[in-house]
Amino acid sequence: MIIDFSKYSSVKIGGICDVKIINEVVQNDYFIVGNASNLLINNPKNLAILGDKFDYINNCGEILEVGAKTSSYKFFEYSKKNNIGGFEFLCHLPGFLGGITKMNAGMKEFEIANFIESVNVDGKWIKPNFTYRNSDITGTIYAIRLKTNDIFSIQRLNMFKKMRENQPKGASFGSIFKNPQGFSAGALIEKVGLKGRVKGGAKISDIHANFLINFNKATFNDAIYLINLARDEVFKKFNVLLDNEVIIKE
Ligand SMILES: Cc1cc2nc3c(=O)[nH]c(=O)nc-3n(C[C@H](O)[C@H](O)[C@H](O)COP(=O)(O)OP(=O)(O)OC[C@H]3O[C@@H](n4cnc5c(N)ncnc54)[C@H](O)[C@@H]3O)c2cc1C
């Protein structure tokens, strides 16, 4: 299938690429694209996306089995409807459950790893290791088994909504960098004076400096320029090397 990443990805940057659809559980060498909410793509080859048969939710009692193509919002809605707690943060996290699991996505200490019972990678159920916004999963995620032991909480949902109030609007891929231990990446970028810096159609947000906004047909190179600039300036001034949260695929 042909995907135009300037339309499909959340940051609205990228070329028109031929993407294989995976309809069966197989080991493969493709780079798997999820919902492209954490991707900065130029024009890569060898991409694949899961087919719709991996978009499902099975309730197995204390465990929910979720297909990796299931959207975070669909899963959030399911948990709300069925009074299942813990997943309220997914209301504000774009992605498919495969991408959410691979990235160990979350908000503050609320992250998907807290609920993972096992993950189907290349057809085998495994127990991966998770770290801050990452996992050691290397193959294709087809399904995820999640533990449920709580009831839905409107208070938690409101807390996450509040956390989102200072999030910039506009096309982005979420945070550019992970927060280094003990620091906020956004505060460091702000302190080197890059808040609001523009390159072509891309901008370091003037609301939150760890966000890159595509405000006017930004190119891959516009975004890369600003990412490198922020990393270099922060390193020069604070001797802190920022690590990308966004996944870049040339
Ligand atoms: C406005 C906005 C706000 C955001 N806020 C947050 C936040 O607060 N916290 C947070 O953690 N993230 C945040 N993000 C980033 C994003 O929501 C997460 O990283 C999410 O996990 C991306 O899922 P995806 O399906 O879009 O993955 P993609 O962006 O498509 O891919 C991300 C990575 O996962 C891999 N991948 C995807 N699917 C599979 C699969 N089935 N098998 C193996 N590998 C796979 C890809 O190869 C890639 O390496 C935000 C993004 C946006 C646009």
Side-chain angles (χ1 to χ4, degrees), residues 46-61:
N46 213 36
L47 302 179
I49 194 163
L50 296 182
D52 289 343
K53 88 178 236 195
F54 300 104
D55 176 359
Y56 66 87
I57 302 171
N58 288 341
N59 192 333
C60 320

Side-chain angles (χ1 to χ4, degrees), residues 31-32 34-38 93-94 96 99-100 105-106 133 141 164:
F31 177 89
I32 308 295
N35 193 45
S37 323
N38 198 43
L93 267 187
F96 295 158
I100 297 269
R133 300 295 166 266
I141 301 169
R164 280 306 193 218

Side-chain angles (χ1 to χ4, degrees), residues 10 31-39 50 68 92-96 98-100 102-107 133 139-141 164 167 172-175 211 245 247:
S10 59
F31 177 89
I32 308 295
V33 174
N35 193 45
S37 323
N38 198 43
L39 289 182
L50 296 182
H92 298 283
L93 267 187
F96 295 158
I100 297 269
K102 162 81 181 170
M103 299 304 301
N104 187 19
M107 291 170 75
R133 300 295 166 266
T140 302
I141 301 169
R164 280 306 193 218
Q167 184 174 284
S172 81
F173 37 66
S175 299
F211 268 65
E245 184 163 324
I247 306 287

Side-chain angles (χ1 to χ4, degrees), residues 89-90 92-93 100 103-113 132-133 160 163-164 245:
F89 68 100
L90 289 179
H92 298 283
L93 267 187
I100 297 269
M103 299 304 301
N104 187 19
M107 291 170 75
K108 308 259 185 214
E109 70 273 28
F110 298 87
E111 52 189 24
I112 200 71
Y132 167 56
R133 300 295 166 266
F160 294 124
M163 279 185 199
R164 280 306 193 218
E245 184 163 324

